[in-house]
C-alpha cells in the first residue's frame, strides 16, 4: 500500500515536471517571436530630415507630369473644342481624369507626411472591444473589394478582447496593414486576421498574415522607417510614400504596444502586434 502511494506521488511529480517543461518551451517559442522582427533603431533627426527632403523633391518632380498633362489637354479642349471630334474630346477627358487621380494620390501622400509629422498623437482613449472592431473593419474591407481576391479570413475568440485605446487610430492600423498587403504583396490570394489573449493573460495579440511573395530578410529591419519603400519603382506606380508602416508603428507604440514582422520569400508575411489588456 505504502509503495503504491509513492508510485502515485512519483507519477504525479513526473507529470507536473513534464507539463512545466512543455509550458517553458511554449513560452520560449512565443517570446522568440517578439525578440525577432522588431522595427530597427529609429532614424536620427538628420536622417529623417534628409529622407523628408528627398521625398519632397521626388514628389515635386512627379507633380509636374500630371499637372502638365492636365493643363495641356484642358487648354486644347478649350481652344479647339469646335474642331475636335467627340471621340477626341472623350479621349482628352479620360487623360485629364486619369492624371487628376494621379495628382490626388500624390496630394494624399503629402497629407500622410503632414499627419505623420504631427503624430504626437492625442489619443481619445476608451474601452474598445477589438473583436467588434475587427469584424467591422472586415465588413468595410470586403465591401470595397472589386473582385473575389484577396479572400479575407477572420479568426477571433468568442469572448470580448478589451483594451484601452482610440478606436479610430486602431482602425487605421488594421486598414494600413491590410492595404499594404493588397497593394504590395504579389500573387496575394488570402489575408488572415487573428486576435487572442496571450498565455500571460495580460496582452491581446493580433496577427495579419498574407500569402503573397514575402519580403527579403535583409529588408525587414528597415520596413518601419519613414519614407522607406521596398520597390521604389513599383511603389511609385501604385502610389504610396513609404509612410504607412511608420504610422502603424507610431500608433501601436502610443497605445503601449509593439509590432514585429516575420516574412520569407515565397511564403508570405505576418505582422504581429500586441496591446495591454484592459484591467
Amino acid at each position: 500500500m505504502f509503495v503504491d502511494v509513492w508510485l502515485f506521488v512519483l507519477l504525479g511529480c513526473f507529470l507536473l515536471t513534464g507539463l512545466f517543461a512543455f509550458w517553458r518551451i511554449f513560452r520560449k517559442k512565443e517570446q522568440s517571436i517578439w525578440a525577432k522582427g522588431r522595427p530597427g533603431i529609429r532614424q536620427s533627426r538628420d536622417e529623417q530630415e534628409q529622407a523628408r527632403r528627398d521625398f519632397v523633391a521626388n514628389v515635386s518632380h512627379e507633380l509636374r507630369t500630371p499637372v502638365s498633362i492636365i493643363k495641356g489637354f484642358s487648354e486644347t479642349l478649350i481652344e479647339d473644342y469646335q474642331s475636335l471630334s467627340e471621340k477626341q474630346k472623350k479621349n482628352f477627358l479620360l487623360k485629364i481624369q486619369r492624371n487628376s487621380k494621379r495628382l490626388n494620390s500624390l496630394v494624399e501622400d503629402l497629407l500622410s507626411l503632414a499627419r505623420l509629422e504631427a503624430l504626437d498623437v492625442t489619443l481619445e482613449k476608451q474601452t474598445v472591444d477589438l473583436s467588434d472592431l475587427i469584424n467591422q473593419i472586415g465588413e468595410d474591407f470586403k465591401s470595397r473589394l472589386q473582385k473575389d481576391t484577396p479572400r479575407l479570413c477572420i479568426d477571433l475568440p468568442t469572448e470580448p478582447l478589451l483594451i484601452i485605446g482610440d478606436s479610430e487610430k486602431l482602425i487605421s492600423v488594421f486598414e494600413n496593414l491590410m492595404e499594404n498587403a493588397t497593394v504590395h504583396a504579389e500573387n496575394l490570394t488570402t489575408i488572415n486576421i487573428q486576435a487572442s489573449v496571450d498565455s500571460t493573460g495580460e496582452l491581446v495579440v493580433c496577427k495579419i498574415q498574407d500569402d503573397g511573395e514575402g519580403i527579403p530578410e535583409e529588408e525587414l529591419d528597415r520596413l518601419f522607417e519613414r519614407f522607406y519603400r521596398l520597390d521604389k519603382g513599383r511603389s511609385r506606380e501604385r502610389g504610396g510614400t513609404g509612410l504607412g508602416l511608420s504610422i502603424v508603428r507610431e500608433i501601436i507604440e502610443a497605445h503601449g504596444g509593439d509590432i514585429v514582422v516575420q516574412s520569407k520569400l515565397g511564403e508570405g508575411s505576418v505582422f504581429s502586434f500586441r496591446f495591454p489588456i484592459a484591467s
Side-chain angles (χ1 to χ4, degrees), residues 21-171:
F22 176 78
W23 180 81
R24 287 285 300 275
I25 292 168
F26 174 76
R27 288 284 293 131
K28 187 175 181 181
K29 182 178 179 182
E30 185 180 53
Q31 290 171 354
S32 70
I33 293 174
W34 299 98
K36 298 178 181 178
R38 288 181 180 277
I41 297 171
R42 290 177 180 272
Q43 293 170 296
S44 68
R45 285 188 176 275
D46 288 343
E47 288 172 332
Q48 288 183 16
E49 183 59 27
Q50 183 59 50
R52 189 181 67 81
R53 284 198 297 267
D54 291 344
F55 165 72
V56 171
N58 289 337
V59 170
S60 299
H61 176 75
E62 291 181 25
L63 283 170
R64 291 196 187 100
T65 301
V67 168
S68 298
I69 291 173
I70 292 169
K71 182 174 181 289
F73 281 110
S74 59
E75 286 176 349
T76 302
L77 273 171
I78 292 169
E79 293 171 5
D80 302 328
Y81 188 82
Q82 299 299 332
S83 61
L84 292 172
S85 67
E86 290 301 315
K87 184 177 180 180
Q88 287 176 314
K89 291 175 186 175
K90 185 173 181 179
N91 185 43
F92 284 9
L93 288 170
L94 286 172
K95 290 181 183 296
I96 291 171
Q97 181 188 52
R98 184 164 58 251
N99 283 277
S100 296
K101 288 180 178 178
R102 175 61 184 148
L103 194 58
N104 181 69
S105 175
L106 291 168
V107 170
E108 287 296 324
D109 287 349
L110 289 170
L111 290 174
S112 295
L113 172 61
R115 284 195 292 268
L116 184 59
E117 291 292 337
L119 205 62
D120 330 316
V121 192
T122 306
L123 298 177
E124 297 182 11
K125 289 188 174 182
Q126 57 185 347
T127 301
V128 178
D129 182 353
L130 272 181
S131 289
D132 285 346
L133 197 71
I134 291 169
N135 281 323
Q136 173 193 328
I137 292 165
E139 288 176 10
D140 292 344
F141 179 77
K142 288 175 182 176
S143 69
R144 295 198 302 270
L145 290 178
Q146 298 178 348
K147 50 186 179 179
D148 295 334
T149 55
R151 188 166 58 96
L152 181 64
C153 301
I154 298 176
D155 180 14
L156 301 170
T158 53
E159 68 273 8
L161 296 171
L162 302 179
I163 68 168
I164 303 298
D166 184 322
S167 58
E168 291 302 315
K169 296 289 193 302
L170 292 170
I171 288 172

Side-chain angles (χ1 to χ4, degrees), residues 14 46 75 132 193 201 230 239 252 258 270:
F14 281 126
D46 288 343
E75 286 176 349
D132 285 346
I193 301 179
L230 276 173
I252 290 172
D258 57 350
V270 184

